């Protein structure tokens, strides 16, 4: 495979089954929402070294009530190790689950862009660039957004408004972007 090609997941496809570990040590499967929810929003972030990720995760907390109201569970994950996540937690004002230890293989399976650190001061491992996946009640990818840098991510107000509209059964809104 050449360097100018990456595998990307397609809207409407089944979200890959990946087991991840929460800060608490509990293992869960990505794309399987907690009891009481039928969809899951998965936010892949770069890691504790990224101030834009910290800001985004903290802003996401402001939408938790609205997302819960429409049945959307929230989980964030990075390739950081447990110690890095614990350190990062002091900068986060979040109540949603955060997982750590995403492997390069898992990042590649999700079609994420992967970067090497610029220096040891940044971080000590390759990390994924931002990705966002919304998995519906059938385990299918309803919404997908993948970026190759920290400056481009879905605007949260627009995302939550859109998910609210999509989940309203009166709108009968299909998964978009399925044409291959």
């Amino acid at each position: 495979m050449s360097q100018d090609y990456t595998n990307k997941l397609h809207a409407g496809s089944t979200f890959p089954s990946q087991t991840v570990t929460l800060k608490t040590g509990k293992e869960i499967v990505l794309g399987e929402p907690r009891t009481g929810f039928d969809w899951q929003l998965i936010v892949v972030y770069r890691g504790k070294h990224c101030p834009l990720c910290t800001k985004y995760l903290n802003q996401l907390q402001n939408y938790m009530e609205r997302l819960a109201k429409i049945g959307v569970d929230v989980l964030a994950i990075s390739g950081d190790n447990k110690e890095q996540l614990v350190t990062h937690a002091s900068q986060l004002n979040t109540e949603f689950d955060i997982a750590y230890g995403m492997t390069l293989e898992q990042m590649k399976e999700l079609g994420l862009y992967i970067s090497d650190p610029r220096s040891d001061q940044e971080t000590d491992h390759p990390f994924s660039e931002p990705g966002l996946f919304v998995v519906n009640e059938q385990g299918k990818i309803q919404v997908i957004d993948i970026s190759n840098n920290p400056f481009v991510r879905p605007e949260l107000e627009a995302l939550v408004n859109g998910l609210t509209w999509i989940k309203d059964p009166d709108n009968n809104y299909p998964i978009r972007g399925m044409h291959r």
Side-chain angles (χ1 to χ4, degrees):
M1 183 183 303
S2 71
Q3 278 191 289
D4 60 351
Y5 176 81
T6 58
N7 286 321
K8 297 292 176 221
L9 296 176
H10 294 276
S13 64
T14 299
F15 191 79
S17 178
Q18 293 187 354
T19 301
V20 299
T21 306
L22 299 178
K23 186 172 82 168
T24 62
K26 179 181 178 184
E27 289 190 344
I28 63 165
V29 177
L30 288 180
E32 293 183 6
R34 292 177 295 155
T35 302
F37 298 91
D38 57 351
W39 286 25
Q40 187 177 61
L41 167 63
I42 302 162
V43 176
V44 181
Y45 69 101
R46 300 170 85 222
K48 81 174 187 82
H49 69 276
C50 177
L52 294 173
C53 295
T54 300
K55 181 179 177 182
Y56 196 79
L57 294 175
N58 284 331
Q59 289 174 338
L60 179 58
Q61 180 61 40
N62 298 327
Y63 293 91
M64 294 304 296
E65 188 175 314
R66 288 175 57 194
L67 289 164
K69 186 175 179 180
I70 60 170
V72 178
D73 189 19
V74 176
L75 172 82
I77 184 168
S78 77
D80 280 355
N81 62 39
K82 184 174 184 176
E83 181 181 315
Q84 289 167 320
L85 174 55
V86 169
T87 301
H88 191 205
S90 68
Q91 301 170 10
L92 297 173
N93 298 313
T94 58
E95 296 174 9
F96 51 85
D97 286 332
I98 300 180
Y100 67 90
M102 182 175 240
T103 66
L104 286 174
E105 292 74 25
Q106 288 173 316
M107 294 174 197
K108 289 175 184 178
E109 185 178 25
L110 296 182
L112 297 165
Y113 292 100
I114 301 168
S115 295
D116 289 322
R118 295 180 301 163
S119 69
D120 290 340
Q121 287 73 40
E122 187 173 47
T123 191
D124 61 354
H125 57 84
F127 55 89
S128 75
E129 294 296 339
L132 185 144
F133 305 90
V134 179
V135 181
N136 67 24
E137 72 278 357
Q138 297 155 345
K140 305 285 184 191
I141 300 170
Q142 184 80 33
V143 176
I144 186 169
D145 186 90
I146 297 172
S147 179
N148 72 325
N149 69 74
F151 308 107
V152 180
R153 307 169 196 244
E155 194 275 317
L156 290 167
E157 181 70 21
L159 174 67
V160 174
N161 286 341
L163 291 176
T164 301
W165 198 86
I166 289 170
K167 288 206 70 188
D168 182 337
D170 291 339
N171 294 324
N172 193 28
Y173 195 76
I175 297 172
R176 307 308 301 175
M178 293 178 55
H179 211 280
R180 294 193 171 109

